[in-house]
Each structure stands twice: as structure tokens, then as C-alpha cells.
Amino acid sequence: MTFQAPALTPEQKKELNDIGLQIVSPGMGILAADESVGSMAKRLTQIGVENTEENRRYYRQILMTAEDRVKNFIGGIIFFHETLYQNADDGTPFINIIKEKNILAGIKVDKGVVPLAGTNGETTTQGLDGLAERCAQYKKDGADFAKWRCVLKISATTPSSLAIMENANVLARYASICQQNGIVPIVEPEILPDGDHDLKRCQYVTEKVLSAVYKALSDHHVYLEGTLLKPNMVTPGHSCPTKYTPEEIATATVTALRRTVPPAVPGITFLSGGQSEEEATINLNAINKCPLPKPWALTFSFGRALQASALNAWRGEKENLQVAQDEFMKRAEMNSLASLGQYEPSTESDGAASQSLYIENHAY
Ligand code: 13P
């Protein structure tokens, strides 16, 4: 028989649950601004900007200092380590700027993906060493939640049962360590969109991966009310010849989630996974309009789909600060509406917002 010694006090549980609920309160989602230095290199190169610490700081300042009403759309921002300790031009720490707006700070705590030997190119995610100490320090420094990204791939031979089991277990270990330190873990088992598989196959794999994740979280005594899930939406592979409607994507996504994610989880915050800004918003809206019962908040934790237009508008020029902030606010507001199922897609096509943000074999 399995046995659980008390892992968390009622006060610890309440704190974790309150944090989770605050981040996903109605109309709110997450800005994922935790691109590693390497990922920022890719983003900045695309707009002809050098990847220096100062340019990364300046760009993040655009997001952090967006006008006050952003607090109606964004409940949490995920930082990369470097950004958590950076300041705005006037010396105010970014973390103080967002806390003033009642936005909670999150921190990426994984240390990236590494190969799993004996698999067909599959990976696990490292970063457990010293994690408890890092979480304790981040909590002192103002972070209330964390992110850890695991990656799974769909092909004829993947995901293997080894990759599913290993990634589920490492996510559960991470989640347990976070909770011991007052940090809400965002559990992110991302299934990449690479491949020509259809919607059904993505749904099947998503169900297998998520059920393994929730089994592992249960085995590790993780307190589900104090977690958030960050999954992929269920979509066809990037090179799938068949096109599906947002309603079909929504039904497949909500069905997979209903079969695997306990209602105790307060919120599901989707990654955008290379969808265009507009596609990600439309699909999130369709998910929220899906008539199946949905016991959790269903919202966004987008990186590319919240930032692509803002980055393009900025292009490294100080005089573009305002337009870049306007673009960011526009996406934040539209995704907020989509998280309530109230987004009305505009009839005129917005060039930049409909551009694919797909990156092959995406690292973060
Ligand atoms: P995308 O929305 O760009 O997929 O990134 C979200 C994220 O945080 C991936 O870990």
C-alpha cells in the first residue's frame, strides 16, 4: 500500500492554490517572456538586432512597462533568470514594476533538453540538481511560480514509452520541489507540432502523455490545486495536408483534456507552439466556446504568439517603443477575450499577426 507523510501544511496548500487561482482569474493569462539567451538570439537576429544583454533588457522593458491596463489581461509573467534581476532605465527592478500592477512573477527553472540515449532523437529535461535551493532563493526574490518545459515528438516510432515515462517523472519531481518552496509549478509537457500527423494522432498522443503526467504527479504527492498545466493545443502536424477548423481543434483539445486532467487543477495555460498570433487566439477562443463541460480555466501562456508583432514593430529602435507596446497590448487584450470565448476575429487580415511562427524542432 502506498503511504503519504504530510508533504504540505494547510497554510502552504492555501498559498499555492491562491497563487494558481490568481494567475488564471477570469480574462487573465500568462506572458511567457522566459526565452533563454540562445532563444533570444534567434528572435533578435530576425529583426536585425544584436543579442547583447542591454538589447535583451531593453526589449523586456518594452513588455514590462506596458500601460497599466495590461493588468486586466496578464496575471503572470515568466522570466528567464537574467531578466528577473534586471531593471528599467530609471533603476526600478522589473519585478517591482509588474508587482505594482498585481502581476505575479514566474521563473523558468529547467536547464534545457538533453538527449535520451537509445531513443529516436527524443529528449528529457535537466535541472533538478540544486533546484530546491534555487526555488527558495527565487521565492525570496519575489517569484511565485515556475516553469519547466519537457518536449515530446510525434513520429511513427515516437513518443516512446521511455520518453513518456521519463518526462512525466521529471516534471513530477520538479513540481514537488517547487511546492515545498512555496512556488506554483507550471507543468509543461510540450508535444511538438513537427510532422505530418493528423489531428486524431495528436489527440491520441496528448492523451497518453497527459495521463502519464497525472499518474506521476499523483505518485509524487503533488498537490494538484497548487499547479497549472501548460500543454500544447491538439492540432494537426505542421506538414499535415488536411486542414481542420478551429472548432475541430477545440473539440479534440477539450476532449483530450477532459479525459486526462483532474478538475482539481485550477488552470490550463496553453503554449502557442508556432501557431501564428491570430491562429493561436482563434483556437483559444474556440476552445473556450466548446460546448463540452470545462472544469478548469482555459487560457494562454504564449511566448511567440504574444510577442511576434511587438518584436517586429520594435526592430531595435527607441522611437518604436510605443508602437511595439501597442502591438503587445493588442495581442494581450485579444487573448484575454479569447480566454473568455468573447473574441471576434477581425475580417481584415492583419499581415504580421497571420504569419506562421513555426520553428523546426523548437528549443526554448
Ligand atoms: P510559445 O508560445 O512560443 O510556444 O512558447 C511558450 C513557452 O513558454 C514554451 O515553453
Side-chain angles (χ1 to χ4, degrees), residues 212-267:
V213 166
Y214 282 97
K215 170 71 168 80
L217 292 172
S218 168
D219 289 345
H220 283 261
H221 310 295
V222 171
Y223 172 61
L224 293 183
E225 289 83 347
T227 64
L228 294 170
L229 174 70
K230 177 161 174 164
N232 50 284
M233 295 180 192
V234 174
T235 58
H238 185 73
S239 352
C240 175
T242 315
K243 297 286 161 246
Y244 297 85
T245 63
E247 289 67 35
E248 287 171 316
I249 287 172
T251 305
T253 303
V254 177
T255 302
L257 295 171
R258 281 173 45 79
R259 289 177 177 170
T260 53
V261 185
V265 174

Side-chain angles (χ1 to χ4, degrees), residues 31 37 72 175 177 250 253 273 275-276 285 313 315:
L31 164 65
V37 173
N72 302 313
I177 293 169
T253 303
Q275 300 180 62
S276 73
N285 193 58
R315 305 209 147 263

Side-chain angles (χ1 to χ4, degrees), residues 191-306:
I191 300 166
L192 292 180
D194 303 51
D196 61 2
H197 52 272
D198 62 11
L199 189 65
K200 249 196 155 59
R201 171 102 175 112
C202 182
Q203 182 184 329
Y204 174 80
V205 172
T206 303
E207 289 176 10
K208 293 300 167 206
V209 167
L210 291 180
S211 57
V213 166
Y214 282 97
K215 170 71 168 80
L217 292 172
S218 168
D219 289 345
H220 283 261
H221 310 295
V222 171
Y223 172 61
L224 293 183
E225 289 83 347
T227 64
L228 294 170
L229 174 70
K230 177 161 174 164
N232 50 284
M233 295 180 192
V234 174
T235 58
H238 185 73
S239 352
C240 175
T242 315
K243 297 286 161 246
Y244 297 85
T245 63
E247 289 67 35
E248 287 171 316
I249 287 172
T251 305
T253 303
V254 177
T255 302
L257 295 171
R258 281 173 45 79
R259 289 177 177 170
T260 53
V261 185
V265 174
I268 298 178
T269 65
F270 295 99
L271 57 96
S272 59
Q275 300 180 62
S276 73
E277 289 178 333
E278 191 58 13
E279 222 181 335
T281 309
I282 288 174
N283 286 335
L284 179 61
N285 193 58
I287 285 169
N288 277 288
K289 287 181 93 163
C290 174
L292 292 165
K294 302 175 288 289
W296 346 257
L298 291 163
T299 186
F300 57 92
S301 175
F302 295 164
R304 283 165 285 177
L306 265 174

Side-chain angles (χ1 to χ4, degrees), residues 73 94 103 299:
F73 316 135
F94 286 156
I103 297 175
T299 186

